[in-house]
Amino acid sequence: MSDEVDERVTPPLVDEAVKKAAVCWVSSGGGPAYALWCLPLDGTLLVVTGPGEQAAPGLADSETAEVTLRGDHGGRIVTWSARVTRLRPGTEEWDTAAPLVAAKRLNASGAAAELVERWVAQGCALNRLAPVGAVVTGADLPDGSLSEQPRPAPVVRAVRKPFRLHRVRRR
């Protein structure tokens, strides 16, 4: 039996998890995993990254990534290797996928067509994550939470002591 995996056939668990995915955790280049909103399309996940959108450093330039999806119970159910393909503006793939992703983008200002134009102008990346290679499920998943300390971000503010209107006297 060969160790090679047929890219055209994905396990049923991956197919079902991809169909139901709204958020995925993606790690590229051995870096930390980032939670990204995504849109399932034809057995793959589409994610938008870049200025004004979600951050996933290195994803747009990677060829592969690790994707983790959760189940209905909220816990991790599958981790799989993905082939990353960046869809380029002006291609048939872009013209088909970008409006679909833009229409599902929550809290975006303007119409879907305006959002797609903004992505092109700002240099955002529309990436397709297609399952390939190894799949980790069930007992093979890590037992621990894999939680980490929050990463530094420009939106984090230092916590100050609360303001007091009066002084408390001790007796």
Side-chain angles (χ1 to χ4, degrees), residues 17-24 36-40 45 54 69-70:
V18 166
K19 287 178 190 174
K20 295 179 179 183
V23 175
C24 59
L36 306 173
W37 69 270
C38 59
L39 177 72
L45 296 175
Q54 51 201 353
L69 298 175
R70 64 186 175 135

Side-chain angles (χ1 to χ4, degrees), residues 85-125:
T85 306
R86 184 171 179 174
L87 306 183
R88 303 286 178 183
T91 64
E92 184 178 332
E93 287 180 311
W94 174 275
D95 294 341
T96 302
L100 295 173
V101 176
K104 295 293 183 177
R105 171 71 162 82
L106 297 177
N107 302 324
S109 60
E114 293 170 353
L115 183 57
V116 171
E117 289 175 15
R118 229 179 7 245
W119 289 343
V120 173
Q122 293 177 348
C124 291

Side-chain angles (χ1 to χ4, degrees), residues 11-63:
L13 178 61
V14 173
D15 285 337
E16 284 303 311
V18 166
K19 287 178 190 174
K20 295 179 179 183
V23 175
C24 59
W25 284 260
V26 179
S27 171
S28 63
Y34 289 87
L36 306 173
W37 69 270
C38 59
L39 177 72
L41 182 67
D42 299 330
T44 65
L45 296 175
L46 298 173
V47 296
V48 177
T49 60
E53 292 297 330
Q54 51 201 353
L59 179 63
D61 300 321
S62 293
E63 294 181 7

